Amino acid sequence: SISVDKKTDTLKKFISENGITYAVLSDAELKAANLYVVVGTPGFFVIDKDGFVLSEHQEDIDSAGKKLEGLLK
């Protein structure tokens, strides 16, 4: 995942408190967010190895999570 949080302490606390074990990258300068035209959070993007967006969902976390699960099957 990619966080746009500018406060690394807040991000680290969130990761720890929620038991997140997958990689979380920081985009505090919004470079990736601007590149992929993220208009709000949470946003879920499936991006292939060449950087092309295969799927995009910028909506509530439950709806997006269900769609993402379907894409990964």
Side-chain angles (χ1 to χ4, degrees), residues 10-39:
T10 303
L11 176 58
K12 289 177 183 178
K13 182 179 177 184
F14 179 84
I15 291 168
S16 176
E17 289 178 351
N18 290 282
I20 295 173
T21 58
Y22 51 84
V24 179
L25 306 175
S26 175
D27 185 29
E29 295 180 11
L30 303 177
K31 290 180 181 180
N34 289 330
L35 179 66
Y36 291 102
V37 194
V38 176
V39 294

